[in-house]
Amino acid sequence: MGLEKYRITEPEDGECLTVYDKANNPIGIVNRKEALEKGLLVEGVQLWIINPNNNQVLMQKRNRNKKNNPGKIDVSVSGHIKPIETPTQAMLREAREEIGFRDSQLLFSKMQKFAQTKIDLRQYGRQGNYAMTFFLAFLDFPLDSYQKNDEEVEQLFFMDYEELKSRVRKGDTEMLIPNSEQTETIFAILDEKMQERNQNKGKEMIIWEKK
């Protein structure tokens, strides 16, 4: 399959995405709208911001006027990777655009890539077919530290991590995160990351006390 099959000259909405085949080979560049409507495999990124002091996750409720999954509740930041970007670059850009996180250097120093997986949201009544890269950042910033983009986000709020898992597993239709094997893998990795952080924090406290 050649690149020309999915090549366009001028994106209608100003944004284009790279399309991949099942073997993760790039096969062309298309308009974002076309990619979503046809369920073409494109790259996406997602950031989980978790407050390590209370295990709460920064969540967003998507603007109800968005064409893609309007009004759904999603984790901190999600978005597409543009053809000229790496996953990390896309993640930093999306964090700036969606939740007003402008200190990219700080976020870069705090976030870690923790998983990659494919997920076709059309199986769960959503839009999008993605090869996703997941990032995690432990941040204890208060809610007013973040500034939502009104065109993208209707509301920012915190949700307890265990409540989040419970709602997803019960098939809560408000949640954009699907109840799937891929999601369970993400939860398992996050559980380990949070446990590791708590253990390391305990060690740091013990070392500090000894000094």
Side-chain angles (χ1 to χ4, degrees), residues 112-117 132-135 185-186 189:
Q112 55 182 295
K113 184 189 301 183
F114 72 90
Q116 289 180 296
T117 188
M132 293 292 298
T133 300
F134 294 83
F135 293 85
T185 298
I186 295 303
I189 298 173

Side-chain angles (χ1 to χ4, degrees), residues 14-182:
E15 182 177 357
C16 56
L17 303 172
T18 302
V19 179
Y20 295 83
D21 62 18
K22 293 181 179 180
N24 295 329
N25 298 309
I27 57 175
I29 297 175
V30 301
N31 175 265
R32 172 180 171 176
K33 179 181 178 182
E34 181 182 354
L36 293 175
E37 289 180 348
K38 293 183 177 179
L40 303 176
L41 181 63
V42 297
E43 287 187 297
V45 288
Q46 187 173 89
L47 172 65
W48 291 65
I49 294 178
I50 300 179
N51 187 324
N53 299 323
N54 53 22
N55 292 339
Q56 290 190 334
V57 184
L58 179 67
M59 306 293 291
Q60 64 163 274
K61 186 171 185 178
R62 294 168 61 83
N63 189 299
R64 294 183 182 276
N65 294 321
K66 288 185 69 66
K67 294 181 180 179
N68 188 17
N69 305 306
K72 295 290 185 182
I73 295 174
D74 200 4
V75 296
S76 315
V77 183
S78 296
H80 296 95
I81 301 177
K82 297 180 179 180
I84 61 173
E85 294 178 317
T86 65
T88 298
Q89 290 171 330
M91 194 73 270
L92 295 173
R93 173 182 55 77
E94 290 286 352
R96 182 174 63 253
E97 293 176 356
E98 291 191 2
I99 62 173
F101 206 119
R102 300 190 178 282
D103 192 341
S104 295
Q105 189 62 42
L106 173 63
L107 183 56
F108 177 77
S109 69
K110 296 292 185 181
M111 72 182 194
Q112 55 182 295
K113 184 189 301 183
F114 72 90
Q116 289 180 296
T117 188
K118 290 181 181 178
I119 184 164
D120 189 346
L121 292 177
R122 296 173 299 168
Q123 300 178 43
Y124 310 98
R126 280 76 158 171
Q127 283 185 313
N129 182 18
Y130 296 103
M132 293 292 298
T133 300
F134 294 83
F135 293 85
L136 166 66
F138 288 110
L139 300 172
D140 59 359
F141 300 156
L143 187 61
D144 60 10
S145 298
Y146 306 99
Q147 182 64 46
K148 69 182 179 70
N149 179 338
D150 292 337
E151 294 183 1
E152 299 281 339
V153 181
E154 181 176 310
Q155 181 185 5
L156 289 174
F157 60 98
F158 285 108
M159 180 183 294
D160 183 79
Y161 176 63
E162 293 301 324
E163 178 187 350
L164 187 160
K165 290 195 294 185
S166 176
R167 291 182 65 172
V168 170
R169 287 168 173 166
K170 290 179 180 178
D172 189 328
T173 56
E174 282 192 303
M175 305 294 288
L176 179 56
I177 308 166
N179 181 15
S180 67
E181 292 183 6
Q182 294 96 329

